[in-house]
């Protein structure tokens, strides 16, 4: 896939534990925008440590999207007894709306085959909800966390 603004080629590959720091840095950058939507900078993706993300490599599959060797997106998932749980889809703010998130989602579904894919996002995260619904996900539950946040659970 070509980046719409350049002639650089987007590559999606399985991430390795040595990519953990770059993915964590990108995660914190990407989730700062989410935190602003909810006016809450204490959300788990912003507080995750390098050791925690490294430990996730033991039981999650991580994908990375790169342009010229730089990680510009990532997603992680794992199969559970109730289906494939997808989490932390991130794309660098400078590379959003270029199909990278869609490509990562499609690839993780191809890599981790399941009868059911599940994920969640916040109720005010309109771009996330739009993307997931465009990809065929349907809401099946909501859970109020506090006055500012309700989690929306989706599946396909």
């Amino acid at each position: 896939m070509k980046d719409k603004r350049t002639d650089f080629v987007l590559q999606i590959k399985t991430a390795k534990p040595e990519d953990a720091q770059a993915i964590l840095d990108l995660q914190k950058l990407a989730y700062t925008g989410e935190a602003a939507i909810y006016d809450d900078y204490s959300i788990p993706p912003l507080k995750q440590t390098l050791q925690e993300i490294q430990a996730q490599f033991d039981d999650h599959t991580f994908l990375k999207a790169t342009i010229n060797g730089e990680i510009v997106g990532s997603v992680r998932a794992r199969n559970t007894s109730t289906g494939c749980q997808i989490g932390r889809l991130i794309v660098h703010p400078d590379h959003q709306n270029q199909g990278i998130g869609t490509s990562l989602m499609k690839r993780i579904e191809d890599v981790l085959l399941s009868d059911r894919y599940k994920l969640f996002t916040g109720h005010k995260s309109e771009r996330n909800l739009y993307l997931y619904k465009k990809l065929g996900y349907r809401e099946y539950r909501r859970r109020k966390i506090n006055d500012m946040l309700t989690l929306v659970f989706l599946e396909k």
Side-chain angles (χ1 to χ4, degrees):
M1 168 183 221
K2 294 232 180 208
D3 181 326
K4 291 179 183 173
R5 295 178 304 152
T6 67
D7 289 330
F8 303 127
V9 176
L10 174 72
Q11 293 185 315
I12 297 178
K13 299 178 181 177
T14 301
K16 307 264 187 264
E18 53 267 24
D19 295 316
Q21 184 66 61
I23 290 171
L24 181 61
D25 292 345
L26 179 59
Q27 173 179 302
K28 291 186 179 198
L29 177 65
Y31 272 94
T32 297
E34 286 293 296
I37 292 171
Y38 298 96
D39 194 27
D40 181 359
Y41 292 86
S42 67
I43 59 175
L46 292 180
K47 296 181 82 171
Q48 188 171 28
T49 67
L50 179 59
Q51 292 76 21
E52 290 168 342
I53 199 169
Q54 287 171 329
Q56 284 187 311
F57 274 86
D58 292 340
D59 63 357
H60 285 71
T61 297
F62 280 73
L63 297 181
K64 63 181 178 181
T66 62
I67 296 175
N68 278 358
E70 177 189 353
I71 297 175
V72 297
S74 181
V75 67
R76 66 197 75 163
R78 67 183 174 143
N79 280 321
T80 69
S81 61
T82 61
C84 181
Q85 182 67 49
I86 299 173
R88 306 238 167 118
L89 173 66
I90 54 174
V91 176
H92 191 289
D94 292 345
H95 294 280
Q96 291 179 355
N97 299 311
Q98 297 175 17
I100 296 170
T102 296
S103 295
L104 284 163
M105 288 294 293
K106 288 180 178 179
R107 182 71 61 86
I108 200 74
E109 291 173 7
D110 288 343
V111 170
L112 290 177
L113 298 178
S114 179
D115 292 336
R116 182 179 185 206
Y117 295 92
K118 304 181 304 178
L119 52 83
F120 64 86
T121 192
H123 72 291
K124 294 181 186 177
S125 301
E126 294 176 11
R127 290 182 356 171
N128 296 350
L129 289 165
Y130 173 80
L131 171 64
Y132 299 140
K133 289 178 181 177
K134 182 178 84 170
L135 292 172
Y137 286 80
R138 291 188 174 86
E139 181 180 333
Y140 70 93
R141 180 173 67 127
R142 286 184 177 232
R143 185 173 81 206
K144 185 175 182 174
I145 302 301
N146 56 44
D147 289 340
M148 295 294 294
L149 173 63
T150 298
L151 293 180
V152 179
F153 292 82
L154 301 111
E155 68 182 355
K156 84 171 193 181

